[in-house]
Amino acid sequence: MKTTDNTVLITGGATGIGLELAKDFVAKNNTVIICGRRAEKLSEAKKILPQIITYQCNLSELHQRRELVEFCTQNHPSINILVNNAGVQREINFLNGEADYFNGESEIAINLEACIHLTALFVPYFVQRSEAAIINVTSGLGIVPLSITPVYCATKAGLHSFSISLRYQLKHTSVKVFELIPPIVDTELDRGARDRRGQKDKGVKPEIVSKEAFEGLTNDQLEIPVGMVKILKIGSRITPELFLKMINKKVVNPSASDGK
Ligand SMILES: NC(=O)c1ccc[n+]([C@@H]2O[C@H](COP(=O)([O-])OP(=O)(O)OC[C@H]3O[C@@H](n4cnc5c(N)ncnc54)[C@H](OP(=O)(O)O)[C@@H]3O)[C@@H](O)[C@H]2O)c1
């Protein structure tokens, strides 16, 4: 698709992968709106990219999703790209029961439900545009799960499945559905959990993810696996058990968990 002169909403665009995507969209002469909960992160992003439009919201809240879409369509009616990028990741040990499950933000609300809800709000608008896109940011962990972050992985597998159905539903419209599938990326997604568990592999730089994303978008490659996810996608179909072991050993300090 055309990657210039669009109007783009990037959820969670103030940090990490979202911020790199924002930089590259701005560099290509697109109008970019970013949203997130932390005002200070939004202002820091605005200092780096004075052209961007920032909007503070919490996508866990149903009414705030509606208000965000209204803000975009009222103030930036040319909007034609949604990047469902905002996400959180938590370690949850089900041996600790409900206490651990409810001890933090809902990954289901943020990583999955908000993406689906924003899609429902934008699609009727996007189909009226000559070209539009929904770009869902999933993860290699949606293909092969990391057992210590079980709900996160389930949300990414769910978003992958949703992307396939949506693409099928919209195939005769002007709306393209992309899935960007990063490997481990060096961002603050895990809020320091990688360091706490002694994980040495911090992953690729978010710049690499954005670079590969743009190559994929330009070539209308609807599923864009980044870096080692290309191998993961094929390898996990041939030897799923081996890849499950590899991912869980690679990331988890073997002394801290049953990473067999
Ligand atoms: N890092 C990785 O290894 C990796 C690998 C594969 C896929 N991904 C995916 O890439 C996407 C971006 O993550 P990242 O790695 O760039 O981490 P990140 O820097 O932590 O970015 C996540 C962004 O989402 C925003 N966000 C979280 N909850 C929100 C909410 N309720 N409402 C609005 N905004 C919210 C955060 O801002 P606030 O906290 O200020 O709201 C933050 O800007 C995520 O979907 C993640 O799952 C990451």
Side-chain angles (χ1 to χ4, degrees), residues 11-18 35-38 41 57-60 84-88 105 110-111 137-140 152 156 182-189 191 194:
T11 67
T15 63
I17 296 169
C35 71
R37 291 166 300 183
R38 288 169 296 173
K41 291 289 173 192
C57 67
N58 182 352
L59 292 173
S60 297
N84 272 319
N85 166 75
V88 291
E105 303 155 300
I110 300 167
N111 302 359
V137 181
T138 63
S139 168
Y152 174 84
K156 295 299 180 178
I184 302 175
V185 188
D186 192 2
T187 70
E188 292 173 1
L189 178 73
R191 303 286 190 266
R194 288 171 194 172

Side-chain angles (χ1 to χ4, degrees), residues 28-47:
K28 289 179 187 295
N29 202 38
N30 296 282
T31 301
V32 176
I33 307 156
I34 62 166
C35 71
R37 291 166 300 183
R38 288 169 296 173
E40 71 276 14
K41 291 289 173 192
L42 292 167
S43 344
E44 281 170 28
K46 180 94 182 156
K47 275 188 200 131

Side-chain angles (χ1 to χ4, degrees), residues 21 28 69 74 117 128 136 189 242:
L21 290 170
K28 289 179 187 295
V69 174
Q74 296 292 311
H117 189 190
Q128 297 169 41
N136 289 329
L189 178 73
L242 178 70

Side-chain angles (χ1 to χ4, degrees), residues 110-221:
I110 300 167
N111 302 359
L112 184 60
E113 217 228 307
C115 303
I116 295 172
H117 189 190
L118 289 177
T119 299
L121 292 164
F122 271 119
V123 163
Y125 193 83
F126 279 4
V127 290
Q128 297 169 41
R129 324 256 353 131
S130 58
E131 193 177 30
I134 292 173
I135 304 169
N136 289 329
V137 181
T138 63
S139 168
L141 297 182
I143 303 171
V144 179
L146 174 66
S147 65
I148 54 175
T149 58
V151 178
Y152 174 84
C153 299
T155 62
K156 295 299 180 178
L159 190 58
H160 164 70
S161 172
F162 176 69
S163 304
I164 296 171
S165 299
L166 186 68
R167 189 176 296 134
Y168 202 82
Q169 275 198 13
L170 300 181
K171 67 181 169 187
H172 298 305
T173 74
S174 58
V175 187
K176 289 184 177 135
V177 180
F178 291 90
E179 182 186 354
L180 176 63
I181 321 173
I184 302 175
V185 188
D186 192 2
T187 70
E188 292 173 1
L189 178 73
D190 62 337
R191 303 286 190 266
R194 288 171 194 172
D195 290 337
R196 285 195 293 278
R197 62 183 177 241
Q199 185 181 322
K200 292 204 173 64
D201 183 2
K202 298 285 178 339
V204 300
K205 294 283 166 211
E207 293 89 321
I208 304 283
V209 180
S210 184
K211 183 174 170 286
E212 292 202 26
F214 273 86
E215 283 163 12
L217 295 174
T218 309
N219 296 322
D220 274 339
Q221 183 191 342

